[in-house]
Amino acid sequence: MKTLSENRAFGGVQGVYSHASTACGCDMTFGLFLPEEAEREPVPVVWYLSGLTCTHENAMVKAGAQKWAATEGVALVFPDTSPRGEGVANDAAYDLGQGAGFYVNATEKPWAPHFRMWDYVTEELPRLLFSAFPVDEARQAITGHSMGGHGALTIAMSFPGRFRSVSAFAPIANPTASDWGRKQFAAYLGKDEAKWAAHDATLLMKKRGFDGPILIDQGASDQFLDLLKPEALAEAMMARRQNGAFRMQKGYDHSYFFVSTFMEDHIGFHASALYA
């Protein structure tokens, strides 16, 4: 692992690190904020998964999360959204290829050799994180925006007991019924739609739900509402009587202005579960 940068922030340290990834077959970069408390003992961690076109850096510099993480004494980890580099497959469209890993393990050419973001985020990066930094594996939460909200929800529901809470900002809520999902799942996973269901938050909510609290914020003026399909997930949460809240925020769009506005709520929500 290489240290690319470390900057003092809100009494803690915002670092950026790179390492050779076996899962993705390339070098991967991630950000990690450690609050001041980490100098004395392991601290809880909140995973933040970013959306289409993003790298580790977008949320790290735009979401305003470090201030609230420092206040609550929690770490934040910002993975990249896809493999990158020479020899890694890509596409001219912004919503496929590099920057659009969709947090799945690709099985189809040309994506299969590198696009294994499910394994990277759920297995490889956690092993590295918990072995190299003072973060508490027993106290994890996860959140994300858009494609990252999709990833946060599907991962949380697929690993019962790992995460104490999950939240999302404008998640791609029903990708098997959306062009933000059907296109990518067909490319990465093949045409058998039965294989897609494991990566659809609405279908997972109907099947198993989440064993902790959920918080979802959705901008009512989001320009991508037809692609996100929030109503499908809201209905599934209601039908399951899921412990959680789904909030429509009047006037807000899909941008990081929206995310940063409600970041304090989300960090506080996770801190309550992590320190319970």
Side-chain angles (χ1 to χ4, degrees), residues 17-79:
Y17 309 93
S18 68
H19 67 106
S21 167
T22 300
C24 295
C26 63
D27 286 347
M28 295 292 288
T29 301
F30 67 95
L32 175 66
F33 173 75
L34 290 173
E36 187 175 5
E37 289 85 345
E39 297 174 9
R40 301 185 294 273
E41 60 186 2
V43 295
V45 60
V46 178
W47 294 79
Y48 183 101
L49 305 186
S50 289
L52 286 167
T53 75
C54 292
T55 69
H56 69 281
E57 189 176 40
N58 293 70
M60 195 178 80
V61 301
K62 292 181 178 181
Q66 293 89 342
K67 176 180 179 180
W68 308 118
T71 299
E72 300 288 358
V74 301
L76 298 168
V77 59
F78 304 97

Side-chain angles (χ1 to χ4, degrees), residues 24-140:
C24 295
C26 63
D27 286 347
M28 295 292 288
T29 301
F30 67 95
L32 175 66
F33 173 75
L34 290 173
E36 187 175 5
E37 289 85 345
E39 297 174 9
R40 301 185 294 273
E41 60 186 2
V43 295
V45 60
V46 178
W47 294 79
Y48 183 101
L49 305 186
S50 289
L52 286 167
T53 75
C54 292
T55 69
H56 69 281
E57 189 176 40
N58 293 70
M60 195 178 80
V61 301
K62 292 181 178 181
Q66 293 89 342
K67 176 180 179 180
W68 308 118
T71 299
E72 300 288 358
V74 301
L76 298 168
V77 59
F78 304 97
D80 203 346
T81 58
S82 78
R84 300 178 191 274
E86 186 176 352
V88 175
N90 202 9
D91 191 88
Y94 75 95
D95 59 355
L96 189 67
Q98 295 185 36
F102 263 77
Y103 304 101
V104 302
N105 286 339
T107 58
E108 304 300 303
K109 295 180 179 179
W111 314 106
H114 298 285
F115 281 73
R116 302 189 62 81
M117 289 301 294
W118 182 270
D119 282 355
Y120 178 70
V121 170
T122 66
E123 297 180 12
E124 185 175 33
L125 186 55
R127 282 197 302 269
L128 175 61
L129 189 75
F130 296 122
S131 66
F133 298 97
V135 288
D136 185 355
E137 187 174 1
R139 293 183 292 169
Q140 299 183 64

Side-chain angles (χ1 to χ4, degrees), residues 227-275:
L227 292 166
L228 300 172
K229 305 211 175 280
E231 66 283 354
L233 180 58
E235 290 170 4
M237 288 175 65
M238 180 64 73
R240 175 161 283 276
R241 305 295 191 264
Q242 171 67 45
N243 175 15
F246 196 114
R247 311 190 304 190
M248 292 296 290
Q249 302 292 359
K250 184 177 180 179
Y252 285 90
D253 60 14
H254 199 70
S255 70
Y256 265 93
F257 295 110
F258 157 65
V259 173
S260 61
T261 298
F262 298 102
M263 183 57 70
E264 179 183 6
D265 287 358
H266 284 245
I267 297 297
F269 164 77
H270 291 301
S272 294
L274 292 168
Y275 278 105

Side-chain angles (χ1 to χ4, degrees), residues 156-273:
M157 285 187 276
S158 298
F159 290 88
R162 179 180 294 194
F163 301 98
R164 295 194 182 182
S165 53
V166 59
S167 73
F169 301 86
I172 300 174
N174 191 195
T176 61
S178 167
D179 287 341
W180 272 0
R182 296 188 62 82
K183 171 185 176 180
Q184 293 81 7
F185 290 172
Y188 296 146
L189 303 176
K191 295 181 179 180
D192 181 0
E193 296 189 18
K195 297 178 180 179
W196 303 359
H199 299 284
D200 187 306
T202 295
L203 299 182
L204 287 172
M205 179 58 63
K206 291 178 179 179
K207 182 178 180 180
R208 63 175 69 127
F210 178 62
D211 56 352
I214 293 178
L215 173 62
I216 296 175
D217 276 312
Q218 172 63 61
S221 296
D222 194 314
Q223 59 271 45
F224 302 115
L225 273 175
D226 289 345
L227 292 166
L228 300 172
K229 305 211 175 280
E231 66 283 354
L233 180 58
E235 290 170 4
M237 288 175 65
M238 180 64 73
R240 175 161 283 276
R241 305 295 191 264
Q242 171 67 45
N243 175 15
F246 196 114
R247 311 190 304 190
M248 292 296 290
Q249 302 292 359
K250 184 177 180 179
Y252 285 90
D253 60 14
H254 199 70
S255 70
Y256 265 93
F257 295 110
F258 157 65
V259 173
S260 61
T261 298
F262 298 102
M263 183 57 70
E264 179 183 6
D265 287 358
H266 284 245
I267 297 297
F269 164 77
H270 291 301
S272 294

